[in-house]
Amino acid sequence: MTAKIIDGKAIAAQIRQEAKNEVEVLKDRGVTPCLAAVLVGDVAASKVYVKNKRKACENIGIASVLHTPTAEISEPELLKLIDELNHDQAIHGILVQLPLPKHIDETKVIEAIDPSKDVDGFHPYNVGRLVIGLDTFRSCTPAGVQELLLRSGIDVAGQHVVIIGRSNIVGKPMANIVVQKQKGANATVTICHSRTRNLPEITRQADILISALGQPQFVKPDMVKQGAVVIDVGINRIDDPSSDKGYKLVGDVDFEPVSKVASAVTPVPGGVGPMTVAMLMVNTIKAARMLLK
Ligand code: L34
C-alpha cells in the first residue's frame, strides 16, 4: 500500500481563493486588510517565509508593509516599532517573524503586540482563549494542520492524535486545537518530546501522527502504525550540492519508507508550509473584520 499524498499546496490555494473573495467584501465596505511584517536580521529561511507571506497578501488583495531592521536592532527599538504598529489605525495584523536574534527576548516582543492585531496567535491572551475554547487568533501552523485534515476528509474526533514536539508555535497549540469540544477536534491527544520514554511505542499508537520537532527524517516506518495519517510539520534544510540552491528541504518524516506504512502523508515542501501562509491570510482578514463589528 502507498499512502495518499495530502496536497497542502492545492488546499492552501483553495483557502487563498476564499480569502480573496472575503477581501473583496471587506473592500466594498471600505476596509482594506493590512498586514505589517517585521523581519529582523538576515535569516535565509525567514526571508523565504516572509516573501511567501507577502506574495500571498498581494495575490489576495491584502495590503502589506515590511519592516526589515538589522540583527543589531536593540530590544527597546524593536518594542518601539511594535508600539507604533499597534497604534497605526491602517494596520490590522502584526507579524514578527521568528526566530529573533539572541539578545532579544521573544516573549517580551510577543507580549508587546496588541492582542487584537496578533495574527500569529502567540500572545498569552490569545493562547489562553485558545486553551479554554474561545474564538481567537490561532497560530497559523497548527490551525493550518487542522484545516488540512478537515479538507482532506480526515475526522480527528475520537482518534488518538500523537504530537512530537512541544513548542509554543506548533506542539502546544496543536494539542489545544484538536482536544477542544468543537468541529474538527474532539481528539485524544498525547504530546511527546525529547524527554519522552519509549517514543516509538507511543507514536505507534497514533491514528494521526503530527511531527514538529525539527529533525530531518526522524520519523521512521517502525514508529508508524499501519494505516495511520502522518502530518509532517518539520521543514529542514540539508546540504545538496546537486541542487541550484545548494540545499534541499526535507521534513521530520522519512517520507519514502513511511509512505509504505501510512494511509496518508503530507510532503515537504508542499504540505504544511503553504497552509501556514494561507492561515495567516485568514487571520489577517479576521483582524480587519473585527473592526467592523
Ligand atoms: N512569527 N514566525 C512567526 N510566525 C510563523 O508562522 C512562523 N513560521 C515558522 C517559523 N517562524 C515563524 C512560519 O511562517 C515556520 N513558517 C513557515 C512559513 C512558510 C513556509 C514554511 C514555514 C513555506 O512557505 N514553506 C514552503 C517552502 C518554502 C521554501 O522553499 O523554503 C513549503 O512548501 O513548505
Side-chain angles (χ1 to χ4, degrees):
M1 190 183 79
T2 319
K4 174 189 154 197
I5 295 175
I6 298 175
D7 189 345
K9 211 169 152 185
I11 295 174
Q14 196 184 333
I15 294 169
R16 289 199 309 271
Q17 184 55 50
E18 293 164 16
K20 192 171 181 175
N21 298 339
E22 284 185 54
V23 169
E24 267 159 37
V25 174
L26 281 171
K27 283 187 174 169
D28 285 344
R29 296 179 65 181
V31 178
T32 299
C34 180
L35 175 72
V38 181
L39 173 61
V40 181
D42 200 32
V43 183
S46 296
K47 282 190 197 167
V48 175
Y49 303 158
V50 170
K51 190 186 75 190
N52 290 350
K53 291 172 181 184
R54 296 193 72 219
K55 196 166 75 188
C57 284
E58 197 185 328
N59 289 338
I60 290 168
I62 294 177
S64 77
V65 292
L66 175 64
H67 294 266
T68 55
T70 69
E72 285 74 46
I73 189 173
S74 70
E75 189 181 276
E77 281 171 321
L78 184 57
L79 293 173
K80 183 163 165 273
L81 170 60
I82 289 166
D83 191 54
E84 282 161 16
L85 298 172
N86 282 341
H87 289 98
D88 187 336
Q89 302 275 331
I91 285 167
H92 304 105
I94 301 172
L95 157 77
V96 181
Q97 188 71 20
L98 302 179
L100 294 172
K102 283 194 185 61
H103 66 277
I104 296 176
D105 181 347
E106 281 183 1
T107 305
K108 242 188 197 169
V109 172
I110 289 165
E111 287 192 296
I113 298 170
D114 182 333
S116 71
K117 297 190 178 187
D118 172 35
V119 286
D120 260 329
F122 293 165
H123 192 287
Y125 174 84
N126 289 318
V127 177
R129 290 183 60 95
L130 171 68
V131 171
I132 61 175
L134 298 176
D135 182 42
T136 186
F137 295 114
R138 303 177 316 158
S139 34
C140 302
T141 302
V145 169
Q146 184 190 37
E147 201 61 39
L148 204 52
L149 291 167
L150 264 173
R151 292 183 187 233
S152 305
I154 298 161
D155 188 0
V156 305
Q159 308 254 53
H160 189 187
V161 173
V162 176
I163 300 162
I164 313 177
R166 56 177 152 181
S167 71
N168 290 340
I169 299 196
V170 186
K172 279 187 269 187
M174 187 77 249
N176 281 292
I177 286 173
V178 292
V179 82
Q180 295 301 327
K181 197 169 185 174
Q182 282 165 7
K183 178 175 171 259
N186 288 300
T188 302
V189 183
T190 302
I191 305 184
C192 303
H193 48 76
S194 50
R195 297 292 292 272
T196 296
R197 271 187 281 125
N198 303 328
L199 180 71
E201 204 172 286
I202 297 169
T203 58
R204 273 197 301 270
Q205 293 170 30
D207 301 308
I208 296 157
L209 179 60
I210 302 176
S211 183
L213 79 159
Q215 277 197 42
Q217 298 167 326
F218 178 88
V219 175
K220 302 292 181 191
D222 65 352
M223 298 167 69
V224 178
K225 178 168 78 179
Q226 187 79 38
V229 172
V230 179
I231 306 291
D232 192 350
V233 181
I235 171 156
N236 311 285
R237 289 182 171 207
I238 61 169
D239 289 342
D240 179 13
S242 71
S243 101
D244 291 347
K245 294 173 177 166
Y247 67 87
K248 66 172 178 177
L249 297 177
V250 299
D252 287 350
V253 175
D254 198 354
F255 186 85
E256 291 300 331
V258 167
S259 340
K260 298 201 166 64
V261 181
S263 62
V265 59
T266 64
V268 177
V272 175
M275 294 298 293
T276 298
V277 177
M279 296 317 285
L280 180 67
M281 302 301 109
V282 170
N283 280 351
T284 304
I285 292 167
K286 183 184 177 78
R289 206 188 301 113
M290 274 165 26
L291 282 187
L292 294 173
K293 285 179 189 156

